[in-house]
Amino acid sequence: MKKKHYFGRTTMFLLCLVFAVLFLLPTVLTITNSFMSETELKANYGQIFKGLNGGYVSDKVNLKFIPEKVSFSQYETGLLKSPEYLVKYWNSIILVVPIVVFQLVVASVAAYSFTRWRGRVRSSIFFFYVILMLMPYQVTLVPNFLVSKWLGIYNTRWAIILPGIFAPFSVFLLTKFMRRIPYSLIESAKVDGAGEWQIFTRICLPQCRSALYSIAILVFIDYWNMVEQPLILLEDAEAQPLSVFLSNINAGEIGLAFAMATLYMIPSLLLFLHGEEYLVEGIANAGSVKG
C-alpha cells in the first residue's frame, strides 16, 4: 500500500515537473536570447522571421538557450538610443497602476455592501455582476467604444482607465471572500459601538488582505498585457502601451524584441513572486465559499 502511494506521488511529481518545464521554456528562452547578438539571432531564427514576411522556411530552427557571446546592445538600444520604448513603458504604468488601485477601492466598498446587504435585490444585482464577469472583453468592446465617444473621452487614457476601475471580477472575488468573515465578529463590533465604516476598515479589510493582494496581482497582469483596449480606444500611437508596440518590432529587430519583452515581463514576475502565497491563499479561500 505504501509502495503504491509512493509510486503515485512520484508520478505526480514528474508530471508537474514536465509541465513546469514546458510552461517556463518560452520565458527562459526569451530572457536568454535577449543577450544574444543580432547576428547570432538571425543565424538561429532568421528563417522564422523570413517566413513571417512571406518567405519559405526551408531550414530547421536552432533553439539555443546559452548565447555564444553575451551582448547588451539590444538593451542599450531600447533604453538609451530609442527613448520611444521607455515612453511606451511609462504609458503602460500610467494606464495600469490607476486601474489596479481604484479597482481595489471600488471592489472593496461594493463587496462590503453585497456582504452586509441581504435581499432579493442584492441577489439580482450580484447575479448580473457574475454574468458580466463571464463575458469576454471583446463582447463589451463595442459598447465601451460607443460610451467613450458619448462621454467625450475617446482617444484618451480615461477610455481605458474608467472601464477597468469598474470591472466586475474584483467585486465578485472579494465578495465571496468577505462572506468567510464570521458574522459573530461583526455583531461583537456593533455591540461595542462600532459603526459601518469602522467595521469595514478595521475588521473586513484586514481579514481580506490575502484576497486584495491576489486580486491586485491578477488585475495587474491582465491589464499589463492588454492589446485590444488600446488598439480600439486609443488612436494616438504615442499614448499606447508597450504591449501594443512590441508587435511592431518583432519582424525588424529580433534582438530588440527579445530585450523589450524581457523588460516588459519584469514587473509581472516580481509582483507574482512577491505575492505568490497571497495569490494562492486568496483564490483558494474565495473559491471555497458558496454565494
Side-chain angles (χ1 to χ4, degrees):
M1 193 69 180
K2 290 183 177 180
K3 184 180 292 186
K4 185 177 180 181
H5 181 67
Y6 177 77
F7 178 77
R9 292 183 61 183
T10 304
T11 305
M12 185 61 66
F13 172 78
L14 292 176
L15 285 175
C16 292
L17 182 61
V18 170
F19 280 112
V21 171
L22 291 177
F23 279 118
L24 291 175
L25 192 62
T27 302
V28 174
L29 189 67
T30 301
I31 295 174
T32 56
N33 284 192
S34 68
F35 295 101
M36 289 184 182
S37 63
E38 195 73 24
T39 303
E40 186 177 358
L41 285 170
K42 288 182 179 179
N44 295 327
Y45 309 110
Q47 291 297 326
I48 294 180
F49 292 92
K50 180 181 178 181
L52 290 175
N53 291 328
Y56 177 71
V57 181
S58 58
D59 299 332
K60 293 183 179 180
V61 176
N62 183 24
L63 292 177
K64 290 186 64 176
F65 288 90
I66 301 177
E68 295 179 358
K69 184 179 180 181
V70 177
S71 174
F72 294 92
S73 59
Q74 300 84 262
Y75 290 97
E76 182 181 359
T77 301
L79 296 176
L80 301 177
K81 296 181 180 180
S82 301
E84 56 183 340
Y85 300 120
L86 285 179
V87 171
K88 303 294 184 181
Y89 201 94
W90 279 109
N91 286 343
S92 300
I93 296 175
I94 293 172
L95 288 172
V96 176
V97 172
I99 290 176
V100 174
V101 173
F102 289 104
Q103 187 175 142
L104 289 178
V105 173
V106 173
S108 301
V109 177
Y112 180 75
S113 301
F114 280 127
T115 303
R116 298 283 290 136
W117 179 30
R118 301 290 180 176
R120 293 183 179 180
V121 177
R122 192 277 310 175
S123 300
S124 300
I125 296 176
F126 191 74
F127 173 76
F128 283 112
Y129 257 92
V130 176
I131 295 299
L132 288 173
M133 187 189 69
L134 294 176
M135 289 183 180
Y137 187 81
Q138 291 78 5
V139 175
T140 60
L141 192 57
V142 174
N144 284 339
F145 172 80
L146 296 176
V147 171
S148 63
K149 280 275 192 179
W150 179 68
L151 293 176
I153 60 174
Y154 176 72
N155 199 28
T156 67
R157 293 189 176 99
W158 291 108
I160 296 177
I161 294 175
L162 287 180
I165 289 175
F166 297 99
F169 171 74
S170 301
V171 178
F172 170 78
L173 194 63
L174 199 56
T175 300
K176 303 293 284 185
F177 197 92
M178 278 192 181
R179 290 177 183 173
R180 297 180 63 253
I181 301 174
Y183 191 71
S184 58
L185 188 63
I186 297 177
E187 286 295 320
S188 300
K190 292 177 67 177
V191 171
D192 292 337
E196 293 293 339
W197 179 252
Q198 292 174 319
I199 295 173
F200 172 63
T201 56
R202 298 185 182 182
I203 295 178
C204 291
L205 287 184
Q207 295 284 333
C208 298
R209 181 166 52 182
S210 60
L212 290 170
Y213 212 111
S214 62
I215 291 171
I217 295 174
L218 294 174
V219 172
F220 181 88
I221 293 175
D222 184 25
Y223 284 93
W224 187 253
N225 298 309
M226 62 181 171
V227 176
E228 295 94 344
Q229 298 96 313
L231 277 177
I232 300 300
L233 301 175
L234 284 177
E235 284 186 349
D236 186 8
E238 296 298 324
Q240 291 179 348
L242 187 58
S243 55
V244 176
F245 195 66
L246 281 175
S247 61
N248 298 328
I249 61 176
N250 285 342
E253 298 173 289
I254 308 173
L256 187 60
F258 277 123
M260 292 299 101
T262 300
L263 292 176
Y264 201 64
M265 288 190 294
I266 290 176
S268 299
L269 289 175
L270 292 178
L271 189 62
F272 173 78
L273 293 174
H274 178 69
E276 181 183 0
E277 295 181 0
Y278 291 109
L279 178 63
V280 175
E281 180 184 353
I283 295 177
N285 290 335
S288 64
V289 182
K290 295 182 180 180

